[in-house]
Amino acid sequence: METLLEIKNLSKSFDLHNLGKHIRAVSSVDIQIKEGEFVGITGKSGSGKSTILKCIYGTYRIQQGSILYHSKKFGRINLAEATERELLYLRKHEIGYVSQFLNVMPRTTARQLVKQAILEMGDDHDLAEKETEKILAHFELDEELWDSYPTTFSGGEKLRLNIARAMVKKPRLLLLDEPTASLDHDSKIKVKLLIEQLMKEGTTMLGIFHDLEFMNHLCNQEYNIQNGVFSHSTSFTNS
Amino acid sequence: MAEFEVPVLSIKNLNKQFGKGCPYCQDEESLVKNYCPVCGTVYACRDVSFDVFPGEVLGIVGESGSGKSTLMQCLYFDQEVTNGEAYLADYHNGEKNLFQESSQQQRYIRNNIMGKVYQNPLLGLKMNFSSIGNIAEKLIAAGNQHVGMMENRGTELLNKVNIPVHRRKEAPKNFSGGMQQRVQIAKALSNRPPLLLLDEVTTGLDLSVQASVLDLIKSLQRELNISIVLVSHDLGVIRMLADRTLVMLEGRVIEQGLTDQILEDPQHRYTQQLVHSLL
C-alpha cells in the first residue's frame, strides 16, 4: 500500500503577543499512514492531539516540519506549504474533518447542510438530495428534524449530523477529533458501522478517541503522546 | 507547484496616499501610524496585493481607518490610485492594468464587470428614483435600450432580493435600511458581473435584517457562483461568509489566510487582539 500521509518532525507553538507567552503545543511529531489505514492517536487531554489534526487540516500554520500528502489532484504536496486555494480545494474534495463541535451556518437546515457538502464536489442536485436523505436516515435523525435548524438539536443529534456531513463526501482522508465523545452506545455503533464501511471504500482515517475500546477495534496503528513526547506505540496487523 | 486556477481579480502593489508627501515621510519609520506629522499626508493603502479567485468570498477585516474602504473605492475607481496594478480576467484576458485605462474604459468596467454595494445607500442609489429605475440606470449605463427587457430584469432582481413586486416603483427613500441594501444588491447584480464588491453592507442594520441580507448574499453567491470581496469590521460576518481573509492595519495587509486560520491561529499581534475581542 502506498503512503497517503507522512508527517515529519512537526512542531507547533503559539506566540500570544498580548499575553507575552510562548506555548509549545507539540514537537517532533512523526506519523506515517498508508492508504486505507485507520490510525489512532491517544494521550491525555491537553497533550496536543487535536493540534496535530488541525495542523494537517491547515487550520494551524506550523513552524517546523512537513506534512506530505498524496493528493489525487496535486500529487505529492506538502500541506504545510500549500497555498490557501489548494487547501480549500483539498477540503472540498479530499480531506474531511469532524470535530466534537458542530460549526454550521446559521439558518441552514440539516438537509441543506448535508446537501451543500455534497454539492461542493459536483452539481447533480438530484443525486445530492438522494445521498442526503440516505445518510440522514442511516444516522436515524428524526425526519421531522431534517428541515429544521441544527441550533435547536440536542448534543447527540448535532454530533450525528456533523459526522454525516463529513462522511457523506467519502473523503480520501478523514480526520476525526473525538467524534463519539458525547454519543450514547447506539449512536456509537452507528458511527462505527459507517467508519467500517468507509474503510472498505478506501477512506484513510486518523482519529482521536477517548473510548479506547472503540478505537482498538478499528485501529491499524496507534500513536501516543505522553508528557510532550510523541511515540509510535503499536502496530496492529490487519485482522 | 504551478497555480491550478486563474484569479478573477489580481491586485499588485496598490498604493493610495492623500497628500503630496514630503522628504520627512519618505522614511516610513517617521510616520505616526500611517500619517505624516510634518506634511499631513495620509498613506491610506500601502503596497496592497491580493488575488480573488472564481466563486470565492474574500474577506477584508481591520479597524476603522485601516484603509479597507479606501481600497474598495480604488477598486471601483471612486478614487484614483497613487500607483499600483489591477487585472480582471474578464477584461482583455487580464492583460491590461485597469488603473491605466481611460476613464471611459473604467466606466465600462464598472458598469459591466463589477458591482458594488456601499455601506451608505445614499452613495449607491438615487433616493428619489423608483427602485426599478435605479436598476434600469445601471442597465442603461451598460448600453441596454430595450425598456421591456429592463423592466423584466429589474422585476426579476427585486424579486430575488425579496422586495415585493408591487413596491418596485417606490423610491428607496421610503424603504427601511435593510430594504435599501437589498435594492443596492439587486442593482449591483443587474449586469451579471463576475465580481461583486461589498463594503460593510450589514453595518448599522438590526440583527434580523442583517441576517436576511447575509443569507441573501450567501445564496446569491452559491447560485450565481460570483466572486465577492467583502469588507467588514465584524468578524462574525467574515466567519460566516469568507473563504479567505486579509487583515489590514494602518493601510497594510498584515496577515492573510484561510478564515479559520485567521480566527483560530492568528499570528500578528493586532489580529490576535482582534480575534480575542470577539464576543
Side-chain angles (χ1 to χ4, degrees), chain A residues 12 14-18 54 58-61 74 84-89 91 105 107 116, chain B residues 1 4-5 53 56 211 215 222 240 244 255-258 260-261 264-265 267 269 272-273:
Chain A
K12 171 68 194 166
F14 297 92
D15 278 308
L16 302 177
H17 298 296
N18 298 304
K54 286 190 176 177
T59 300
Y60 289 166
R61 294 170 269 193
F74 304 111
E84 292 159 19
R85 291 294 296 175
E86 285 164 347
L87 281 175
L88 281 175
Y89 178 91
R91 286 179 183 189
M105 289 282 299
R107 301 174 301 282
Q116 277 160 17
Chain B
M1 171 164 308
F4 69 101
E5 50 190 357
F53 290 92
E56 84 170 343
D215 286 352
R222 204 171 277 138
M240 177 173 159
R244 300 190 300 127
E255 185 168 353
Q256 69 169 56
L258 297 171
D260 59 323
Q261 289 176 338
E264 292 194 41
D265 188 18
Q267 308 283 317
R269 176 188 295 273
Q272 292 184 354
Q273 193 189 341

Side-chain angles (χ1 to χ4, degrees), chain B residues 6-207:
Chain B
V6 182
V8 174
L9 172 72
S10 199
I11 301 294
K12 295 195 166 76
N13 312 101
L14 185 152
N15 284 288
K16 172 67 186 171
Q17 67 186 65
F18 295 94
K20 284 208 171 77
C22 63
Y24 182 76
C25 56
Q26 291 309 308
D27 175 20
E28 292 205 343
E29 297 290 307
S30 52
L31 294 178
V32 179
K33 286 194 157 190
N34 52 350
Y35 172 80
C36 171
V38 174
C39 64
T41 298
V42 173
Y43 292 84
C45 295
R46 298 194 274 175
D47 207 20
V48 175
S49 302
F50 61 87
D51 290 329
V52 184
F53 290 92
E56 84 170 343
V57 180
L58 179 74
I60 302 179
V61 285
E63 59 186 12
S64 37
S66 60
K68 314 183 294 281
S69 288
T70 303
L71 175 63
M72 293 294 259
Q73 285 164 9
C74 290
L75 296 187
Y76 204 55
F77 313 115
D78 289 332
Q79 294 273 2
E80 204 173 320
V81 295
T82 306
N83 52 57
E85 298 163 42
Y87 301 93
L88 269 172
D90 286 285
Y91 185 73
H92 292 276
N93 288 321
E95 284 161 6
K96 286 208 164 162
N97 180 2
L98 308 183
F99 295 140
Q100 289 189 335
E101 293 295 277
S102 65
S103 55
Q104 214 176 359
Q105 282 303 308
Q106 292 185 342
R107 198 154 27 200
Y108 167 84
I109 296 164
R110 262 171 79 117
N111 288 327
N112 291 278
I113 313 180
M114 288 190 207
K116 180 168 178 185
V117 179
Y118 295 85
Q119 173 179 358
N120 183 350
L122 280 173
L123 293 174
L125 296 174
K126 296 232 166 26
M127 283 298 169
N128 292 316
F129 279 29
S130 68
S131 299
I132 197 161
N134 265 289
I135 296 173
E137 190 199 3
K138 178 140 179 156
L139 290 167
I140 292 168
N144 289 291
Q145 289 179 339
H146 193 287
V147 176
M149 169 268 163
M150 288 191 279
E151 172 127 29
N152 288 340
R153 177 78 180 143
T155 309
E156 176 196 332
L157 284 162
L158 288 173
N159 199 20
K160 193 164 247 163
V161 299
N162 304 319
I163 300 285
V165 179
H166 62 271
R167 299 192 71 176
R168 69 185 187 281
K169 291 196 172 151
E170 247 178 89
K173 69 174 180 200
N174 293 348
F175 288 173
S176 71
M179 286 171 82
Q180 289 174 349
Q181 285 314 52
R182 284 183 275 146
V183 176
Q184 269 208 85
I185 292 173
K187 180 177 179 179
L189 289 172
S190 57
N191 292 312
R192 301 185 174 83
L195 180 69
L196 195 58
L197 307 173
L198 305 177
D199 189 1
E200 302 272 14
V201 283
T202 57
T203 309
L205 301 178
D206 82 59
L207 271 182

